[in-house]
Amino acid sequence: MPDNPLSWGLEQQRVPQPCAVVIFGATGDLTRRKLMPALFRLAEQRQLPAGFTVIAVARKPMSDEAYAAFVRDALVEHKVITEGDHALWTSFAQGIRYVQGEFQDPTGYQRLAETLAEVDATRGTGGRRLFYLATPPPAFPVIVQQIGQAGINQTPPEGWSRLIIEKPFGTDLASARALNHELHAVFAEYQIYRIDHYLGKETVQNILVLRFANGIFEPLWNRRYIDHVQITVAESVGVEGRGDYYETAGVSRDMLQNHMLQLLTLVGMEPPVAFDANAVRDEKVKVLRALRPIPPDELDARTVRAQYAAGAVGGRPVPGYREEPDVPPTSSTETYAALEVYLDDWRWAGVPFFLRSGKRLAKRATEIAITYTNPPLRLFRNAVGDGVEPNVLTLRIQPDEGVSMKFMAKLPGQVMDLRPVQMDFDYGASFATAPPEAYERLLLDAMLGDSTLFIRSDEVEAAWAFADPIISGWHERAAVRLPEYAAGSWGPAEAEALIEREGRRWRRL
Amino acid sequence: MNATDALRLDETFDLDAGRIEAALRTLWQEAAEQSDGMPVARVQVMNLIVYTEDATGLGFIEEVLSLLPERHPCRVVVLEVDADQPRPLSATVSARCLINPLGGRKVCAEEIRIQAGTDTRATLVDALRPLLVTDLPVVLWWTGRPRPADPVFRRFGAELVDRVLVDSALFRDPGAGLLALARWKDDARVRATVADLAWERVRPWRHLLAQTVDPPEARTRLPLLSDVSIGHAGDGAPPEEALLLAGWLAASLRWIPEDSPAHGRVTLRAGARAVTLRFEPTAVTPGPLHHVRLGAADGTTYSVRAADQSGLGICTVEGPDTARMERMVPFTHREPAQVALAAIGRPGHDPVYAAALAAAAEIALLGATA
């Protein structure tokens, strides 16, 4: 492609080529809450090209205009636009089309093919199309199969077709492989974009920047200097009316197998040879493959799972998990998990990674804390205070995104009084520009053909290969009553015991 | 939105660097005492020198400085020069602190204000030297009309600062002014780079135009462009912004200014091809520019124009083989203080501006603005 000399010297504002985004499940919650707001914000930021088109596919009969009104209501409801906003909305709405169809009905795909041909001709989308499956996962195979049969995954030479799917990518290793097999029958792997929205968060991407764009951290990023790593994904909310979903997922499928292992890969990976999709993902896969399996006989020693009981969050009484709607009173689904895991590779051999995630914990917080080893010699033996505490580098993912470093300092005065102090970097206070929402970033990346922040099939399978035996081991113990923790606490006593056995303790967040 | 709070020592000093530093230390202690336990962070990313001879412009300078701690915390030295009468050098110090209404950290930036007169003006460069924070970039924001021939302006550029920010739109004669600025920049004795508020005002136009011609089929037409028209405010000569935009197009697309066959028209040479550039005065514009239209030899046109509705722009592509495509986009109208703030924070040398300025000066030299 020829260069664009007019873009020289301007901040990189990435704008994809004119294309059509085809959303299956276009009247669903994800589309209303996340996708349409993200697409409109991209338009507001001038990051969508002229001719950009959204083709909505859903079951209800509806006209283009009626669907545009549905989208407008969603944008008003989510405070993306106000009732009075006209000009920009009118321009955006010109690119909205609606196609009615059942997911398994070939005639709907024929109508979709006609609409795609129409927008290629009238809006210059040139056979560039991004299929977004915002549907329940069981519908993925049939939609992909029908796309293949209708031939709309085929494009002219200047075009492209890509597919975005949302997690969960299977419910275990076997189903993940089966899903990959079905996707690969229609789309090549390079055309498939598996979303884990965590990877779209700015601070998650900043893990790589912190590690690989600074000279001071990477030399200390290994078993010689690091005592242990804690990764916490804590939620203060319960199942929020999604008890039936959560019963099939539990924290293991909802958080552990995807978000937590993704964070682990970013902390644990080797420097990629380039910042491109395959180089980064190659390194992430190596981390997943280096995860030491937890055999059944070590499950009790290295993992804890638990369920929240009634308690209070933010001063408000909340029910226990088994009292939540759509949750059976005998449920043995875990709402909390803590694990001690190891990476058997040159960099991390012997360094424990403690992972914990749960619902109805004391507060919402996601962070990665890297605890360094103590100095080799206790030089300040006669110091006042509690002695030397280890340095901790904390990467705060949400909320209050930032980086902080704890180190020791001397209090001013005649005596040697040592105190830990915190050096803080706060993204919100340091940059005037608000970071883009994860979906904005990921949708734009997919339109631009950059799959760095998406998950490759081998990553999915490697993550399942590690998580599957743990989950099935837990399920074999289903008869054993789960430990409980009070809603609003930091988890069960068993989790404290897990980490304290190693002489360490969970961070207070 | 964060609020700023000012701390000031009610004392005027001789221009003694040691006393000024001591006064600043006192100020920091006061800031810490008044912070109710909040940590006070002293952050400096540069030295900013603000030069003014116009007391009526101080309000605007204050507005910009009040926004500084949030975006570009730095040591600020404001030079208030009385151009009509002698005055000994004197200084006051103060600090502006950014206060997060939700509590937490308080970020402060310090400010030294120096008064000078006709007799002491020439000594400012030497007097300032010990007052700058070591090893940080030094930016001079020259408010008022740029004076490339002024010895003090020249000394700043040659000896003290890394970057000089001016507003070329304040030149009396746009063409002659840009020419003078281009020559000053190319003077071997000047080590500072030059930045321009007029160029900053052109930036959103550059962004939109670059986006409009970014699709692959549009890029292939760039070598086929044969007509450019730039709509600008007023009914006379094009303002600096229009000249800089024309200079930018010429420099980026490697067009060489060749002739000005008529008022407001320039012929540029693009290899074997000629490109016609027209400046089109437009009665009602929200800013100095109204539209830019690029026409290719095959009849396709790419245009960007300010919409009637404030804060919006319209990008249009149309041609014999393509349906007319119009896109309404946000076209941020920035307040002058925001423009100044953005320009202050842009780092280092801008080769695109240097090339645009040189080409704009050549276009002006052809008499297009006469």
Side-chain angles (χ1 to χ4, degrees), chain A residues 1-6 8-11 13 15 17 43-44 46 48-51 87-88 91 122-123 424 432, chain B residues 71 105 203 206-208 210-211 213-214 216 219-220 222 248 252-253 309 312 325 327-330 346 352:
Chain A
M1 197 193 312
D3 202 3
N4 177 5
L6 299 190
W8 296 342
L10 292 170
E11 299 90 349
Q13 233 186 339
V15 179
Q17 297 168 29
E44 270 185 323
R46 305 198 308 240
L48 292 183
L88 275 182
S91 181
T122 60
R123 296 187 59 79
D424 241 343
Chain B
R71 295 284 293 276
R105 199 162 298 274
R203 181 172 283 266
R206 291 168 56 213
H207 262 297
L208 264 195
Q211 269 192 9
V213 301
D214 203 53
R219 292 190 196 192
T220 59
L222 288 177
W248 166 66
S252 304
L253 297 168
Q309 193 175 341
L312 292 174
M325 199 97 70
R327 180 172 66 125
M328 182 83 76
V329 292
R346 298 224 182 270
V352 180

Side-chain angles (χ1 to χ4, degrees), chain A residues 290-418:
Chain A
L291 273 166
R292 185 189 301 169
I294 301 181
D297 59 339
E298 289 183 23
L299 211 52
D300 290 335
R302 289 175 52 197
T303 72
V304 170
R305 62 183 198 128
Q307 203 175 59
Y308 64 81
V313 175
R316 185 172 55 90
V318 293
Y321 178 67
R322 294 180 188 197
E323 290 104 54
E324 297 275 13
D326 301 323
V327 174
T330 55
S331 169
S332 60
T333 300
E334 69 285 348
T335 62
Y336 176 97
L339 286 83
E340 178 188 359
V341 305
Y342 290 86
L343 295 175
D344 285 336
D345 61 16
W346 202 258
R347 183 187 287 261
W348 295 111
V351 177
F353 285 72
F354 294 100
L355 317 182
R356 64 174 163 166
S357 178
K359 284 201 173 288
R360 285 279 188 240
L361 294 180
K363 70 175 186 184
R364 172 175 170 255
T366 299
E367 67 155 47
I368 298 164
I370 292 135
T371 303
Y372 284 85
T373 51
N374 272 326
L377 186 67
R378 207 174 147 216
L379 200 58
F380 303 103
R381 286 170 193 279
N382 300 322
V384 180
D386 299 331
V388 172
E389 291 188 18
N391 300 125
V392 181
L393 176 68
T394 309
L395 316 177
R396 297 190 307 274
I397 310 295
Q398 66 181 16
D400 306 327
E401 295 88 342
V403 180
S404 57
M405 180 82 198
K406 188 175 85 171
F407 59 93
M408 299 302 294
K410 178 185 174 300
L411 276 190
Q414 301 297 342
V415 293
M416 186 58 77
D417 190 352
L418 305 186

